[in-house]
Short mmCIF file of all heavy atoms in Angstrom, two decimals:
data_model
loop_
_atom_site.label_atom_id
_atom_site.label_comp_id
_atom_site.label_asym_id
_atom_site.label_seq_id
_atom_site.Cartn_x
_atom_site.Cartn_y
_atom_site.Cartn_z
N MET A 1 87.21 121.13 92.33
CA MET A 1 88.61 121.13 91.84
C MET A 1 88.91 119.89 90.91
O MET A 1 88.52 118.68 91.21
CB MET A 1 89.67 121.15 93.04
CG MET A 1 90.95 120.91 92.54
SD MET A 1 92.29 121.33 93.60
CE MET A 1 92.12 120.28 94.97
N GLN A 2 89.43 119.90 89.76
CA GLN A 2 89.84 118.89 88.85
C GLN A 2 91.01 118.13 89.29
O GLN A 2 92.04 118.89 89.71
CB GLN A 2 89.92 119.53 87.33
CG GLN A 2 89.74 118.63 86.27
CD GLN A 2 88.41 118.12 86.13
OE1 GLN A 2 87.61 117.84 87.09
NE2 GLN A 2 87.92 117.99 84.82
N THR A 3 90.98 116.91 89.11
CA THR A 3 92.18 116.12 89.36
C THR A 3 92.83 115.49 88.18
O THR A 3 92.18 115.26 87.13
CB THR A 3 91.90 114.92 90.50
OG1 THR A 3 90.96 114.22 89.90
CG2 THR A 3 91.36 115.61 91.74
N ASP A 4 94.21 115.24 88.19
CA ASP A 4 94.77 114.54 87.12
C ASP A 4 94.75 113.02 87.37
O ASP A 4 94.98 112.56 88.35
CB ASP A 4 96.30 115.10 87.11
CG ASP A 4 96.44 116.44 86.75
OD1 ASP A 4 95.65 116.96 86.01
OD2 ASP A 4 97.44 117.00 87.23
N CYS A 5 94.26 112.45 86.31
CA CYS A 5 94.03 110.96 86.47
C CYS A 5 95.32 110.16 85.79
O CYS A 5 95.76 110.57 84.81
CB CYS A 5 92.71 110.56 85.66
SG CYS A 5 91.27 111.19 86.60
N ILE A 6 95.50 109.10 86.43
CA ILE A 6 96.62 108.29 85.83
C ILE A 6 95.96 107.01 85.22
O ILE A 6 95.36 106.33 85.99
CB ILE A 6 97.64 107.84 86.92
CG1 ILE A 6 98.34 109.20 87.66
CG2 ILE A 6 98.76 106.95 86.36
CD1 ILE A 6 99.05 108.62 88.77
N SER A 7 96.15 106.84 83.96
CA SER A 7 95.37 105.77 83.30
C SER A 7 96.29 104.50 83.09
O SER A 7 95.95 103.57 82.50
CB SER A 7 94.80 106.18 81.91
OG SER A 7 95.85 106.56 81.08
N PHE A 24 95.15 102.23 87.70
CA PHE A 24 94.35 103.51 88.09
C PHE A 24 93.38 103.79 87.03
O PHE A 24 92.89 105.02 86.89
CB PHE A 24 95.33 104.60 88.32
CG PHE A 24 96.45 104.40 89.34
CD1 PHE A 24 97.61 103.79 89.07
CD2 PHE A 24 96.10 104.64 90.64
CE1 PHE A 24 98.59 103.48 90.02
CE2 PHE A 24 96.97 104.30 91.76
CZ PHE A 24 98.27 103.79 91.37
#
Side-chain angles (χ1 to χ4, degrees):
M1 173 163 59
Q2 200 68 319
T3 60
D4 294 328
C5 296
I6 301 170
S7 62
F24 300 96

